[in-house]
Amino acid sequence: MSAIDLAKIGLLCLNNCNYNDKQIVSEKWIKEMVEVTHKTDEQFRNMSYGLLWWIIDSKKGIYSAIGNSGNVIYINKSNNFVCGITGYFKPTIFDRVDFIQKYIEPFMN
């Protein structure tokens, strides 16, 4: 899957799964997928986890799907921003979120 494909999935989620005036997935599912189901410890930066999505900041509507080998979909609803990345980051998978927030997102606002 390419970064463009990941960004398309993110854009679909940003738009509550509405594409060309057609509801692809229910809005209820989009809301439920970012509701906290689990709170993590320091190993996972004390972030919350929803239904396969990491909740970065629930108040701002920032969440991310983070794959174990390099793929990430990052969504910031409050800034109307989506980013898809494929690549390997070290030392932790969460460095992808840091990278997006520090080096990409500031230039998109």
Side-chain angles (χ1 to χ4, degrees):
M1 189 170 278
S2 73
I4 292 172
D5 294 329
L6 296 176
K8 286 179 183 178
I9 293 168
L11 188 59
L12 190 61
C13 292
L14 180 72
N15 294 321
N16 295 318
C17 282
N18 189 301
Y19 178 75
N20 285 340
D21 295 323
K22 188 174 193 179
Q23 196 67 42
I24 306 299
V25 176
S26 75
E27 284 187 55
K28 182 182 176 192
W29 170 252
I30 297 300
K31 289 177 184 171
E32 288 178 5
M33 76 180 195
V34 293
E35 287 180 6
V36 176
T37 61
H38 182 73
K39 292 195 179 233
T40 65
D41 57 16
E42 289 178 17
Q43 179 183 2
F44 295 99
R45 295 189 180 182
N46 298 309
M47 287 198 301
S48 298
Y49 194 69
L51 301 176
L52 299 177
W53 290 84
W54 289 98
I55 300 146
I56 312 299
D57 188 328
S58 61
K59 290 183 175 112
K60 292 181 180 178
I62 302 173
Y63 50 97
S64 186
I66 303 172
N68 192 28
S69 62
N71 295 345
V72 62
I73 301 170
Y74 176 91
I75 299 166
N76 182 333
K77 284 194 167 248
S78 64
N79 286 345
N80 201 34
F81 175 75
V82 170
C83 183
I85 292 182
T86 58
Y88 190 69
F89 282 72
K90 284 188 165 187
T92 71
I93 60 172
F94 300 107
D95 291 335
R96 297 169 210 162
V97 172
D98 294 341
F99 177 80
I100 292 167
Q101 289 180 329
K102 184 174 181 179
Y103 296 107
I104 298 174
E105 192 170 20
F107 298 100
M108 304 309 292
N109 295 325

